[in-house]
Amino acid sequence: IRTLENSEESLAIVIALGRYSAEKFPDAEVVKNVKKIEEAFKTFHEKVQKAQECLKNKDFEGAAAIFREIIAEVKPPKDEEKRYMAFSHPFEEMLTRASTPDDKRPIERISVLPATLYYQLGLALFELKNYDEAKVAFNDAIALNPVSVVPYFELIQIAKIQNDFAEVRRLLSKIHPFI
């Protein structure tokens, strides 16, 4: 979960910036804003840690509820004019552009966090055997990073469970260029 580690690093930077600013400019408006950001980061991380704890403890209902709440807060915007993509590496953007040459919309890179959260929500829903909702979550993760094969593997597992081997073949053909 490198995404969450990067987010924790960002929190540490915000805290350090807040402390530095508070020392140098104790009455500045920026100090108040940094403190608000620091509190928002802490609250966010507490929610993520709680959701992951629920997953680890096999409280999949609790994990799904928390992941849904977090996703509502970080959901990327919908825009027909551009594609919001959550790439963890520039190579993923190149693969996406190469695999979708007819889509001329510009790509705006966003944090990989929403894709990670959708994936984790899908895992919780999968464990609850709520396969239809799990498929939606995994497809939301794929929409943000279509070259990440991991959500495809989860969709393949669901298709196998549902004895939908045509879907297994379709999914395998989609990821074949990426593996």
Side-chain angles (χ1 to χ4, degrees):
I1 305 288
R2 185 75 188 129
T3 302
L4 301 175
E5 291 170 2
N6 289 344
S7 188
E8 288 174 1
E9 290 169 9
S10 297
L11 172 60
I13 292 168
V14 168
I15 291 170
L17 177 62
R19 290 184 181 145
Y20 173 81
S21 298
E23 289 173 15
K24 297 291 182 185
F25 316 102
D27 297 325
E29 190 66 30
V30 70
V31 172
K32 295 174 193 169
N33 291 333
V34 168
K35 287 180 182 178
K36 288 178 189 175
I37 293 169
E38 179 181 339
E39 189 56 41
F41 262 105
K42 282 183 180 177
T43 301
F44 174 79
H45 279 282
E46 287 168 4
K47 288 180 188 177
V48 170
Q49 287 173 339
K50 178 66 176 160
Q52 290 179 330
E53 217 172 89
C54 288
L55 275 179
K56 182 180 175 186
N57 295 329
K58 300 187 185 312
D59 175 9
F60 302 115
E61 291 279 349
I66 296 168
F67 282 127
R68 283 184 177 115
E69 179 184 337
I70 297 168
I71 288 168
E73 295 172 11
V74 300
K75 198 173 201 171
K78 297 280 185 191
D79 187 342
E80 296 300 317
E81 300 298 316
K82 58 179 119 175
R83 297 185 282 176
Y84 291 93
M85 297 289 178
F87 301 125
S88 58
H89 191 278
F91 188 66
E92 292 176 332
E93 183 174 347
M94 291 175 9
L95 283 173
T96 298
R97 288 183 190 280
S99 64
T100 57
D102 295 336
D103 193 340
K104 302 296 185 200
R105 294 177 296 159
I107 291 176
E108 183 165 322
R109 291 184 68 169
I110 62 170
S111 166
V112 295
L113 187 61
T116 302
L117 294 171
Y118 279 123
Y119 176 75
Q120 291 183 331
L121 172 60
L123 291 177
L125 295 168
F126 178 88
E127 292 296 334
L128 293 168
K129 297 183 181 3
N130 188 340
Y131 300 126
D132 290 337
E133 284 189 56
K135 286 194 282 191
V136 170
F138 291 133
N139 279 312
D140 285 341
I142 290 167
L144 293 172
N145 187 343
V147 297
S148 175
V149 296
V150 178
Y152 285 103
F153 290 133
E154 304 303 338
L155 289 171
I156 289 168
Q157 292 304 314
I158 293 170
K160 285 170 46 179
I161 289 167
Q162 296 176 333
N163 292 315
D164 187 350
F165 296 104
E167 179 66 1
V168 170
R169 282 188 295 281
R170 186 188 76 77
L171 291 165
L172 284 171
S173 73
K174 288 188 88 153
I175 63 172
H176 173 64
F178 306 123
I179 56 174

